[in-house]
Amino acid sequence: MSVSDLLALAKATAEVEQQLHAARQDAAQQQRRISTNLLTLDFSSEYRPTGRWSRIGGAFSGSLDELTDGTVSAIQMAAFGLPVLVVLLIAALILRWLWRKLGSRRAGRQAA
């Protein structure tokens, strides 16, 4: 290749890189515009039915949540109470052993 061809190729490459850079800047600007102009809509209603059947339906719809909460509470109580029961069992065994030991000593004194 001649020097003039290399210069023409370098010029064309520079123009393409410049266009690519401009396109990236334009894309970044468009992305910023999208993120700042983003609108989120949340539709909700304050209407609550007041009839008897709607109250019964509301109770049934919340019953699964209540069952879940009750089950969680029962598991937590069992987990809390288990160590207490172990300590009480050990204390009861010690007291029973002491009771029998003292009872056998008294029976030995009364026999003598």
Side-chain angles (χ1 to χ4, degrees):
M1 289 183 94
S2 67
V3 174
S4 62
D5 291 338
L6 288 175
L7 288 174
L9 184 61
K11 183 179 177 183
T13 305
E15 286 178 6
V16 169
E17 286 180 1
Q18 183 181 11
Q19 290 173 353
L20 181 61
H21 182 67
R24 284 184 181 157
Q25 282 183 338
D26 188 40
Q29 178 65 23
Q30 294 297 331
Q31 199 64 21
R32 278 192 295 275
R33 289 180 69 195
I34 288 172
S35 65
T36 57
N37 292 331
L38 185 64
L39 176 65
T40 303
L41 300 176
D42 182 20
F43 295 101
S44 63
S45 174
E46 297 296 322
Y47 172 73
R48 293 187 183 191
T50 56
R52 290 183 187 119
W53 291 109
S54 64
R55 290 183 4 214
I56 292 171
F60 276 119
S61 68
S63 64
L64 187 60
D65 291 334
E66 295 296 327
L67 177 67
T68 303
D69 291 341
T71 304
V72 168
S73 296
I75 291 170
Q76 287 175 342
M77 282 184 137
F80 177 76
L82 189 62
V84 173
L85 289 176
V86 169
V87 169
L88 288 177
L89 177 67
I90 292 171
L93 290 174
I94 291 172
L95 286 174
R96 181 177 172 217
W97 177 76
L98 286 173
W99 184 270
R100 286 187 172 190
K101 187 126 178 130
L102 290 174
S104 65
R105 282 188 184 174
R106 286 184 187 161
R109 286 184 192 167
Q110 288 177 358

